[in-house]
Amino acid sequence: MAVKKKEVDFINWTEYFASIVAVCPWSKAFWAKQKIDIQRWRGEQRITPLDDYVARMWLHPNASGRTLCKIHYRLNEQRHNEEWLYSHPQYGGHSTPSPVLIQQDQIILNNARKGKQNESKTSS
């Protein structure tokens, strides 16, 4: 299921992050504080460090769910300070409107899951 270029360019990420607060309560706040970056996937050799971001959504509009799954497993094995997830609209529910790989700072993610926040990354 390929997503048209126009659809990818006009995704309302503010709406999307607001829609997933039941399963990811911290994402809306991180998005509002500009701590989530959106980039087009250009291959594993072009992955950049998160720096001040807590997460990066790598848009991969032509990837299948299976392809994203394989990439995410490989990156989790290689990049130990990050947690990689993926999302594809084929899965429904709270999935992203376009296929994505999600690069997250592992410590920030674990703290958020425990209900804590890292002030150095979340403060404005």
Side-chain angles (χ1 to χ4, degrees):
M1 171 180 178
V3 177
K4 295 177 185 170
K5 183 184 184 312
K6 278 193 245 173
E7 293 173 7
V8 170
D9 290 339
F10 296 107
I11 294 171
N12 185 332
W13 289 105
T14 300
E15 251 180 46
Y16 172 72
F17 289 120
S19 78
I20 64 167
V21 293
V23 294
C24 189
W26 53 89
S27 63
K28 181 180 174 185
F30 282 142
W31 176 252
K33 293 180 181 187
Q34 299 180 351
K35 295 297 181 183
I36 300 175
D37 187 32
I38 310 287
Q39 295 290 324
R40 288 191 180 274
W41 180 252
R42 289 181 170 79
E44 292 177 39
Q45 69 282 3
R46 297 235 176 130
I47 296 170
T48 55
L50 287 169
D51 295 326
D52 289 333
Y53 294 108
V54 297
R56 181 170 291 120
M57 309 285 282
W58 290 98
L59 300 172
H60 200 338
N62 296 318
S64 66
R66 183 175 181 198
T67 297
L68 294 174
C69 182
K70 287 180 179 180
I71 295 170
H72 117 276
Y73 277 121
R74 186 169 52 249
L75 292 173
N76 277 324
E77 288 294 318
Q78 296 170 357
R79 301 178 68 93
H80 301 286
N81 295 325
E82 299 168 346
E83 183 166 340
W84 285 78
L85 303 167
Y86 66 97
S87 183
H88 195 290
Q90 79 185 46
Y91 300 122
H94 297 290
S95 297
T96 52
S98 175
V100 297
L101 288 158
I102 305 165
Q103 175 187 12
Q104 298 185 87
D105 181 290
Q106 191 169 43
I107 293 170
I108 300 295
L109 179 61
N110 288 338
N111 286 341
R113 285 176 173 161
K114 294 174 188 171
K116 300 175 185 174
Q117 290 188 354
N118 181 325
E119 288 302 318
S120 66
K121 294 241 180 174
T122 60
S123 58
S124 349

